[in-house]
Amino acid sequence: MTTEHAEPVVHAPDEHAHPGPGEYVKIALILAVVTAAEVAMYYITAIPRPVFSTLLLVMMVIKFSLVGLWFMHLRFDSPIFRRLFMSGIILALLVYMVAFSTLGLQHSSFHNFFHFMGHLVHH
């Protein structure tokens, strides 16, 4: 008669413990607040169009990053996966900018957006 013993799961030294349900609820609440801000901005007519577009793109990047890092567990995966998803958000931003230029947004909005994104990258 053989008895099988379950061996404990051993984590690699550089592997982090995954967050508990409370952390996921916090991230979900942050996502809800950002989404509510996006919807509320639509009804505020005093926001200039270039600022409106830039803020929507920034909120899009924030939401994309939070979902990717937390709910898709990229925070705990290999850096290659983070790079892959970063290239995805860069591609999405380029597609949005082409669409915006097709729809006739002013040139200054693109200049402001690139200036803002350049500021984020350098910090």
Side-chain angles (χ1 to χ4, degrees):
M1 180 188 234
T2 62
T3 59
E4 294 181 27
H5 297 283
E7 294 187 27
V9 176
V10 179
H11 295 286
D14 60 342
E15 189 174 316
H16 300 284
H18 286 278
E23 290 293 317
Y24 290 111
V25 170
K26 288 178 190 174
I27 298 300
L29 290 173
I30 292 169
L31 290 170
V33 167
V34 173
T35 301
E38 288 174 331
V39 173
M41 278 180 39
Y42 178 77
Y43 293 102
I44 301 172
T45 57
I47 299 174
R49 186 100 170 138
V51 173
F52 178 76
S53 300
T54 303
L55 287 174
L56 283 179
L57 287 171
V58 168
M59 287 189 257
M60 176 190 73
V61 170
I62 290 169
K63 288 169 54 175
F64 180 90
S65 299
L66 285 174
V67 169
L69 289 173
W70 288 90
F71 293 106
M72 297 176 69
H73 305 285
L74 290 179
R75 229 176 129 223
F76 309 105
D77 282 338
S78 170
I80 189 77
F81 295 124
R82 277 180 263 168
R83 288 186 202 112
L84 180 67
F85 273 82
M86 285 305 295
S87 63
I89 193 66
I90 290 168
L91 178 64
L93 288 171
L94 291 173
V95 168
Y96 277 120
M97 290 186 334
V98 167
F100 287 161
S101 67
T102 303
L103 296 174
L105 284 179
Q106 298 172 356
H107 174 71
S108 63
S109 65
F110 290 113
H111 175 73
N112 293 339
F113 174 72
F114 281 121
H115 179 71
F116 177 76
M117 292 305 287
H119 179 73
L120 287 180
V121 170
H122 293 293
H123 285 31

